[in-house]
RNA sequence: GCGAAAGUGGCGGAAUUGGCAGACGCACCAGACUUAGGAUCUGGCGGAGCAAUCCAUGGGGGUUCGAGUCCCCCCUUUCGCACCA
């Protein structure tokens, strides 16, 4: 038994041995300075939240990135492969409540444990560049950026309806609300509350964020589409409908001296204007078909109408409540359309027609102007509404072909105007342009681009986040914390309670300060920043993580950016990746960097599934990486996570599969250790002797396949399969190898290359066997093998022969056989001859190197 | 409802450009070796059939000498969006 053990692949012995050696060599995974002269390659995986445990999704994510990093090292690149911790956030506070451990301690303990897990997994990270976002040397730069953005009017405060998660007792960004529930608490309904909040003006970059998506051709189309939808650009027209009471003043209104306020953000300024209702429409060409104006129940004018009409008021309030509930439930689209007439009328500026003003529950206050013109003939929703309330339906667009019968609502823009006065006969697009011109000329409207994207609310009423570096002074109002007073440090000692409001407001030593401007008593801002701030720029900090004078040295960033390859879960397609893009553009405009986009290529990996569901504690189907490492070794766990599915697809975790990979690694270990002595004992003079052989052919085919995959397709599952095939062939040649019938140079090339091919996927075994083969130095610095096409080429090919498209037989021909020779070989075949005997060969298709097909009648 | 991706053996999956469907692995079956072992090696393994053969990539049609792959219709699953005017 003890004897046996020596002959067995034993990851439990190999892996700790290499962990020690690697820990002793800080240069192994270290990025080099620009002066090294090598081409740079920045490979990045999304940094984890230090929850305490790595999960299989992490193992998969980092196995993909680490394989790529190792491959690039072997290709001679200067690789930056950093790691850090997204260390602020709510779970630390929850844990503090539960275990009475301070968030900082809990977080740092988790980090230490997870770092150990990374080490056990053999991940090749450059720990010298490690960042931890909850430490002041990182978050001070969040504060620094906040101030720079404040100075450029990219930060502002406003009272707004916010999404409030009662579980988190804090505000959530729109992006953090999933189906009406908190993104962290799937079962907790989000409530709407009114609070004064800090916002980043991401909408200032909406157009550029949209436009630049076209440049990101290294990103999955799916992610780009999701971002496009999220930004939701929509081109249209704002038009004023005049309140009937104001009609007599119309000439006055269109007078040049009249100043109309510019429409502000969503929800706009319509309240200040009591003579008109501004609507937003993408189909101004249909305006002659408008038969009512619909207001959102929260619209400023509605309050005015209801002031004198208690009955209306009750109904409007019901609608607001209903919308609120629907919004909280996330099924805004599901509520039945419902409305009430206000008894007031508005006048269509294009045709002077008088239309009723309604309040309707399907009009959103926070999109466009919160008011629409209703054109039932050409809009599904308006149509449904008009049918329900028996409002008139006026068709104003007709297909160009006048003979076509029209089914209303006719929503196509392919048509011409009818019943539209002077605009009759124009196409929809022509009419839109003309009508916009008229609106501008007569000052009752203008072209308008509306975005669905909202400004980024960053205030959080939590303790464990970056303090917002602002001071409230009674005399001077809002005052920035001066740069030299940064960082505003989170107080270490704090009692975490479940009370609402900002925990920092209950820490007098933090709260009370002096005004930097007047020196008088003042109070600090007690909100902290959304943790998405931390992850919006962390990858810049990696390049210069110890810099205490600036967030990073622009010259160093210029060398490393953009990131060549970013790898992470598709669940961050919108939130993290849009904020990161925004932050990059802001930093560019601050003159800190030159790149417009942070990430050149993005890879969205699939989820890890077990028993048909995503691994999660609540489903009870979690597999612990530590268990896998203990049972099968890190190499097997990592390699299985690459082998079981292509990286972009979901992966079905089957433990038997890990065992299979482990058996494969054992086989590699046995074969290599068995014949390593041949390699070790070779004389240098023998090294160059190379001759074609079946084994070398398979080897060079394998090298070619894997090299190609690393360059683009990333089907690492088939890469592993290819290595398995190669090893199967070596195993089949076991007898010849044992008998010394395989020339030593072939043995050497075979096993050296095998180990090199394995190195990105199974780093421990590769290191061990590299040493076993008598090599010195790290396998990571050994050049990636090059496929020799001469050796890879088959000299004979099997060509399938079909008759009428059905496979009949296979003929062997020389690899360079031309059409004629293949034809002859096919016709000479027994089976073929008996099948075509007495029949007429109508046609013969020969694809050299591929197949023959005889068409026979 | 709109959009995208996917559907292939008992299972995970392969087939990169329209050219031998099922590589590789798991599970299973048989054999070898053996002081039984969850080790290793050899062979088998889509379905039907003794066989020659036939059938088979969600279903139905089509294009083609040839279709898992391209086109049309339908079904299912997953994901994203969903009163955005």
């Amino acid at each position: 038994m003890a004897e046996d053990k020596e002959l067995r692949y034993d990851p439990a012995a190999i892996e700790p041995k290499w962990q020690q050696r690697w820990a002793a060599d800080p240069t192994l995974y270290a990025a080099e300075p620009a002066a090294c002269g090598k081409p740079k390659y920045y490979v990045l995986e999304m940094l984890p939240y230090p929850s305490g445990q790595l999960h299989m999704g992490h193992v998969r994510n980092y196995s993909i990135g680490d394989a790529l990093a190792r491959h690039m090292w072997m290709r001679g690149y200067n690789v930056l492969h950093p790691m850090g911790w997204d260390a602020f956030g709510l779970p630390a506070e929850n844990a503090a409540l539960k275990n009475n451990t301070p968030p900082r301690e809990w977080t740092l303990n988790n980090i230490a444990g997870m770092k150990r897990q990374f080490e056990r997994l053999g991940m090749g990270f450059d720990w010298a560049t490690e960042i931890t976002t909850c430490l002041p040397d990182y978050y001070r730069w969040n504060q620094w950026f906040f101030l720079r953005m404040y100075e450029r009017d990219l930060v502002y405060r406003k009272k707004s309806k916010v999404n409030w998660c009662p579980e988190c007792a804090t505000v959530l960004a729109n992006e953090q609300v999933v189906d009406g529930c908190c993104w962290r608490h799937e079962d907790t309904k989000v409530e709407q509350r009114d609070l004064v909040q800090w916002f980043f003006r991401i909408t200032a970059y909406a157009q550029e964020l949209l436009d630049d998506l076209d440049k990101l051709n290294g990103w999955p189309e799916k992610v780009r589409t999701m971002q496009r939808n999220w930004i939701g650009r929509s081109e249209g027209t704002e038009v004023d409908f005049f309140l009937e009471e104001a009609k007599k003043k119309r000439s006055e209104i269109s007078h040049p001296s009249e100043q109309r306020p510019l429409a502000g953000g969503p929800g706009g300024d319509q309240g200040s204007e009591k003579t008109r209702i501004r609507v937003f429409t993408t189909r101004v060409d249909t305006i002659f078909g408008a038969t009512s104006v619909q207001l959102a129940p929260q619209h400023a004018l509605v309050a005015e109408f209801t002031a004198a009409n208690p009955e209306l008021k009750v109904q409007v309030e019901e609608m607001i409540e209903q919308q609120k509930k629907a919004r909280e439930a996330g099924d805004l689209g599901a509520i039945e359309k419902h409305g009430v007439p206000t008894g007031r009328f508005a006048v269509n500026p294009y045709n002077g027609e008088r239309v009723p003003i309604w309040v309707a529950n399907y009009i959103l206050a926070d999109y466009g102007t919160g008011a629409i013109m209703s054109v039932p003939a050409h809009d599904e929703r308006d149509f449904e509404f008009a049918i329900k309330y028996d409002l008139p339906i006026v068709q104003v667009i007709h297909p160009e072909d006048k003979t076509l019968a029209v089914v209303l609502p006719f929503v196509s823009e392919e048509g011409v105007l009818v019943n539209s006065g002077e605009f009759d006969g124009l196409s929809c697009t022509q009419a839109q342009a003309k009508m916009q011109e008229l609106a501008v000329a007569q000052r009752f409207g203008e072209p308008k681009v509306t975005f669905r994207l909202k400004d980024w609310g960053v205030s959080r009423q939590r303790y464990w986040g970056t303090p917002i570096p602002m001071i409230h002074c009674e005399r001077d109002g809002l005052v920035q914390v001066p740069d030299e007073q940064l960082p505003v440090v989170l107080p270490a000692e704090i009692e975490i309670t479940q009370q609402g409001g900002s925990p920092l407001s209950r820490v007098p030593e933090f709260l009370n300060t002096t005004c930097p401007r007047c020196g008088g008593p003042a109070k600090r801002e007690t909100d902290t920043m959304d943790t998405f701030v931390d992850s919006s720029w962390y990858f810049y900090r990696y390049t210069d993580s110890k810099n205490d004078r600036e967030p990073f040295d622009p010259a160093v960033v210029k060398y490393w950016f953009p990131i060549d390859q970013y790898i992470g879960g598709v669940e961050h397609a919108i939130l993290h990746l849009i904020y990161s893009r925004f932050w990059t553009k802001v930093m560019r405009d601050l003159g800190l960097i030159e790149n417009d986009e942070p990430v050149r290529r993005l890879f969205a990996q699939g989820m890890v599934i077990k028993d048909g569901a995503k691994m999660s504690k609540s489903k009870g189907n979690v597999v612990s990486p530590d268990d896998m490492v203990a049972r099968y070794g890190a190499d097997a766990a990592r390699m299985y996570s690459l082998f079981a599915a292509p990286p972009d697809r979901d992966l079905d975790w089957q433990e038997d599969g890990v065992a299979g990979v482990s058996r494969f690694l054992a086989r590699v270990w046995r074969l290599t250790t068995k014949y390593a002595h041949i390699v070790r004992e070779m004389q240098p003079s023998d090294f160059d002797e190379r001759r074609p052989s079946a084994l070398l052919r398979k080897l060079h085919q394998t090298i070619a396949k894997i090299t190609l995959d690393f360059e683009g397709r990333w089907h690492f599952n088939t890469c592993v399969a290819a290595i398995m095939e190669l090893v199967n062939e070596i195993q089949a040649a076991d007898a010849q190898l044992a008998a010394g019938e395989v020339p030593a140079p072939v043995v050497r090339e075979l096993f050296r290359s095998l180990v090199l091919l394995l190195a990105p996927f199974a780093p421990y075994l590769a290191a061990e066997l590299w040493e076993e083969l008598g090599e010195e130095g790290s396998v990571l610095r050994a050049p990636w093998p090059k496929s020799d096409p001469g050796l890879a080429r088959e000299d004979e090919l099997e060509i399938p022969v079909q008759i009428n498209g059905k496979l009949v037989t296979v003929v062997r021909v020389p690899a360079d056989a031309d059409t004629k020779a293949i034809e002859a070989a096919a016709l000479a075949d027994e089976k073929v001859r008996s099948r075509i005997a007495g029949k007429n060969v109508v046609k013969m298709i020969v694809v050299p190197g591929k197949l023959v097909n005889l068409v026979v009648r």
Side-chain angles (χ1 to χ4, degrees):
Chain A
M1 207 57 188
E3 249 178 7
D4 266 10
K5 193 153 188 188
E6 303 237 331
L7 296 172
R8 198 170 287 167
Y9 165 60
D10 185 10
I14 293 172
E15 296 185 355
K17 166 184 153 189
W18 287 98
Q19 279 161 29
Q20 280 187 9
R21 292 232 214 148
W22 291 339
D25 178 5
T27 67
L28 187 61
Y29 303 124
E32 297 173 61
C36 72
K38 298 174 188 172
K40 69 95 184 178
Y41 195 85
Y42 188 172
V43 53
L44 179 71
E45 297 106 69
M46 291 179 184
L47 84 177
Y49 177 78
S51 62
Q53 284 290 316
L54 289 178
H55 53 68
M56 278 305 164
H58 289 128
V59 172
R60 189 178 193 201
N61 188 189
Y62 303 125
S63 295
I64 295 167
D66 200 39
L68 179 64
R70 286 169 189 275
H71 174 76
M72 296 312 280
W73 268 308
M74 295 173 78
R75 295 283 288 265
Y77 284 81
N78 179 21
V79 176
L80 176 58
H81 188 216
M83 186 44 63
W85 310 96
D86 187 17
F88 270 138
L90 205 51
E93 287 180 65
N94 294 338
L97 271 174
K98 210 168 146 190
N99 319 323
N100 207 26
T101 320
R104 181 187 154 94
E105 191 184 321
W106 182 83
T107 304
L108 295 181
N109 275 342
N110 286 349
I111 288 173
M114 289 170 75
K115 207 167 168 180
R116 182 78 192 106
Q117 284 185 297
F118 273 137
E119 191 188 13
R120 277 197 289 266
L121 284 165
M123 295 296 171
F125 297 127
D126 183 358
W127 289 110
T129 67
E130 176 182 9
I131 57 153
T132 303
T133 61
C134 67
L135 298 181
D137 66 353
Y138 183 81
Y139 69 69
R140 69 174 290 185
W141 302 111
N142 287 345
Q143 296 171 339
W144 187 87
F145 281 120
F146 185 98
L147 294 173
R148 299 294 84 77
M149 286 160 77
Y150 183 74
E151 288 157 2
R152 296 178 75 96
D153 194 31
L154 290 170
V155 173
Y156 65 96
R157 248 157 66 98
K158 79 169 183 207
K159 187 169 183 175
S160 75
K161 283 232 180 310
V162 294
N163 305 298
W164 179 269
C165 171
E167 194 69 31
C168 304
T170 190
V171 165
L172 303 177
N174 286 337
E175 295 86 331
Q176 292 166 340
V177 180
V178 180
D179 291 336
C181 293
C182 172
W183 68 306
R184 306 199 70 100
H185 303 99
E186 291 177 16
D187 306 320
T188 306
K189 299 276 184 216
V190 169
E191 299 167 4
Q192 305 292 309
R193 291 198 183 177
D194 266 320
L195 278 178
V196 176
Q197 301 287 305
W198 289 96
F199 286 86
F200 285 163
R201 208 182 292 281
I202 191 172
T203 52
Y205 287 87
Q207 189 64 51
E208 196 192 341
L209 286 167
L210 179 68
D211 291 342
D212 284 357
L213 283 173
D214 293 336
K215 294 190 207 159
L216 297 177
N217 39 32
W219 284 39
E221 196 49 55
K222 179 190 166 96
V223 173
R224 294 200 279 173
T225 304
M226 283 166 76
Q227 292 211 354
R228 259 183 221 112
N229 292 341
W230 191 263
I231 295 167
R233 183 183 196 271
S234 150
E235 261 178 50
T237 313
E238 284 189 356
V239 178
D240 292 330
F241 278 66
F242 304 98
L243 282 180
E244 190 181 39
E245 291 80 347
K247 197 177 173 186
K248 52 183 179 298
K249 294 187 196 161
R250 183 173 172 185
S251 55
E252 202 179 307
I253 289 158
S254 40
H255 194 269
S257 68
E258 237 259 321
Q259 248 214 322
R260 193 189 51 249
L262 287 167
D269 289 326
Q270 65 281 79
S272 63
E273 184 72 47
K274 292 178 183 163
T275 57
R276 52 179 90 189
I277 299 172
R278 176 154 279 227
V279 304
F280 174 69
T281 176
T282 54
R283 292 297 305 277
V284 71
D285 53 307
T286 64
I287 198 164
F288 281 75
T291 56
S292 65
V293 164
Q294 304 284 346
L295 303 180
Q298 301 86 346
H299 194 280
L301 265 181
V302 174
E304 228 170 281
F305 294 163
T306 55
N309 188 342
E311 202 184 316
L312 182 63
K313 187 168 184 176
V314 171
Q315 288 178 291
V316 166
E317 272 162 11
E318 268 171 27
M319 270 189 243
I320 293 176
E321 191 56 30
Q322 186 191 17
Q323 261 195 11
K324 200 170 129 185
K325 281 213 179 96
R327 196 179 280 259
E328 284 168 7
D331 57 353
L332 215 50
I335 53 179
E336 204 200 317
K337 285 185 191 27
H338 168 66
V340 270
T342 61
R344 306 295 193 97
F345 290 83
V347 175
N348 184 331
Y350 284 92
N351 58 8
E353 224 160 87
R354 180 175 176 268
V355 295
I357 302 169
W358 287 58
V359 182
N361 66 348
Y362 70 100
I363 309 304
L364 305 173
D366 60 357
Y367 183 80
T369 60
I372 66 152
M373 62 177 195
S374 178
V375 185
H378 304 290
D379 182 281
E380 299 274 1
R381 297 153 300 183
D382 297 343
F383 185 81
E384 188 188 330
F385 193 86
I387 294 288
K388 178 168 176 182
Y389 293 104
D390 206 19
L391 290 164
I393 299 170
V394 179
Q395 187 188 342
V396 291
I397 309 290
H398 198 282
E400 223 159 327
D401 181 350
K402 294 269 160 61
T403 61
L404 282 177
V406 178
V407 182
L408 294 182
F410 178 74
V411 298
S412 168
E413 269 185 83
E414 314 247 308
V416 294
L417 274 71
V418 294
N419 301 325
S420 297
E422 56 186 294
F423 302 98
D424 276 357
L426 294 177
S427 74
C428 292
T429 6
Q430 287 167 339
Q432 284 170 16
K434 288 263 185 215
M435 287 170 150
Q436 286 181 342
E437 275 172 33
L438 184 70
V440 171
Q442 303 210 356
R443 299 192 146 241
F444 61 75
E446 62 193 337
K448 176 83 183 177
V449 174
T450 298
F451 291 95
R452 206 189 77 118
L453 181 74
K454 304 279 192 299
D455 278 334
W456 175 13
V458 292
S459 286
R460 297 292 180 271
Q461 290 69 46
R462 304 302 313 183
Y463 162 65
W464 196 231
T466 305
I468 289 177
M470 297 296 292
I471 290 170
H472 302 269
C473 171
E474 272 182 35
R475 248 189 65 180
D476 295 317
L478 266 176
V479 182
Q480 296 180 230
V481 173
D483 282 3
E484 58 278 10
Q485 288 179 24
L486 296 184
V488 177
V489 179
L490 270 182
E493 298 293 322
I494 182 167
E495 202 194 337
I496 308 280
T497 67
Q498 242 159 347
Q499 286 171 259
S502 297
L504 289 176
S505 65
R506 293 189 294 271
V507 183
E509 311 84 78
F510 178 87
L511 180 65
N512 298 313
T513 184
T514 52
C515 171
R517 202 169 291 162
C518 69
K523 298 214 183 300
R524 287 194 188 279
E525 170 63 54
T526 56
D527 281 358
T528 52
M529 296 184 206
D530 180 8
T531 57
F532 277 106
V533 169
D534 308 321
S535 54
S536 290
W537 69 282
Y538 75 102
F539 31 73
Y540 289 94
R541 181 72 181 170
Y542 279 141
T543 65
D544 194 15
S545 60
K546 303 291 185 287
N547 196 327
D548 58 4
R549 298 175 321 279
E550 49 191 351
F552 46 77
D553 177 348
V556 176
V557 162
K558 191 180 173 187
Y559 172 72
W560 285 108
F561 269 77
I563 294 161
D564 294 281
Q565 182 69 61
Y566 197 20
I567 305 164
V570 76
E571 65 272 19
H572 293 111
I574 311 182
L575 317 177
H576 164 55
L577 288 171
I578 217 162
Y579 295 147
S580 295
R581 296 182 58 225
F582 161 64
W583 207 279
T584 287
K585 290 174 192 306
V586 170
M587 293 199 310
R588 179 204 57 201
D589 290 348
L590 289 169
L592 295 172
I593 59 173
E594 291 175 21
N595 49 301
D596 296 321
E597 287 287 340
V599 174
R600 181 173 289 147
R601 278 170 58 97
L602 174 71
F603 189 88
Q605 107 220 17
M607 288 187 303
V608 179
I609 303 287
K610 190 165 180 287
D611 308 325
K614 184 182 176 177
M615 274 193 193
S616 74
K617 270 184 214 144
S618 58
K619 302 247 168 50
N621 59 353
V622 175
V623 176
S624 143
D626 287 341
D627 283 358
M628 289 297 115
V629 170
R631 299 183 69 167
Y632 304 101
D635 281 342
R638 292 175 55 153
M639 203 155 163
Y640 174 74
S641 79
L642 296 175
F643 175 61
D648 56 335
R649 292 248 293 265
D650 285 350
L651 180 151
D652 190 84
W653 192 271
Q654 298 185 4
E655 191 167 332
D656 285 338
V658 190
V661 170
S662 165
R663 277 201 290 274
F664 163 73
L665 294 173
R667 176 183 264 195
V668 172
W669 184 88
R670 273 196 308 276
L671 284 167
T672 309
T673 50
K674 186 170 174 186
Y675 298 113
H677 70 95
I678 300 178
V679 179
R680 286 197 305 266
E681 288 156 15
M682 270 179 69
Q683 298 305 309
S685 55
D686 299 333
F687 282 8
D688 295 331
E689 192 191 317
R690 260 172 146 194
R691 64 186 81 168
S693 77
L695 280 172
L696 281 188
R697 185 186 309 132
K698 186 70 181 176
L699 171 66
H700 282 267
Q701 290 171 349
T702 308
I703 295 170
K705 188 247 177 305
I706 294 174
T707 306
L708 189 67
D709 251 300
F710 267 112
E711 280 162 9
R713 209 176 63 137
W714 279 24
H715 278 200
F716 298 134
N717 56 330
T718 62
C719 291
V720 174
I723 299 174
M724 287 172 168
E725 283 187 54
L726 173 65
V727 171
N728 288 348
E729 290 220 5
I730 297 174
Q731 174 72 52
D734 190 37
Q736 288 123 275
L737 281 161
E741 289 165 16
V742 181
V746 172
V747 176
R748 173 183 143 89
E749 181 168 355
L750 200 55
F751 283 103
R752 278 183 96 252
S753 301
L754 171 63
V755 170
L756 293 171
L757 290 175
L758 224 39
F761 309 112
Y764 287 111
L765 182 61
E768 177 74 10
L769 294 179
W770 192 242
E771 187 176 64
E772 183 72 19
L773 289 171
E775 297 284 350
E776 285 170 15
S778 168
V779 67
L780 270 191
R781 298 289 180 261
W784 184 252
K786 223 174 142 52
S787 174
D788 179 337
L791 289 171
R793 192 183 307 120
E794 300 279 353
D795 34 38
E796 254 195 341
L797 291 177
E798 292 192 332
I799 304 290
V801 181
Q802 301 179 334
I803 291 179
N804 294 335
K806 301 221 168 191
L807 181 71
V808 170
T809 187
V810 170
V811 293
R812 294 195 69 88
V813 297
D816 54 3
D818 61 8
T819 305
K820 277 220 147 57
I822 296 171
E823 228 177 88
L827 289 171
D829 185 89
E830 288 271 319
K831 275 192 182 165
V832 175
R833 287 170 73 169
S834 65
R835 292 265 193 136
I836 63 177
K839 290 181 181 157
N840 195 9
V841 179
V842 182
K843 200 172 172 187
M844 205 163 169
I845 290 124
V846 179
V847 186
K850 289 284 185 189
L851 105 173
V852 177
N853 189 11
L854 306 182
V855 186
V856 170
R857 292 266 155 70

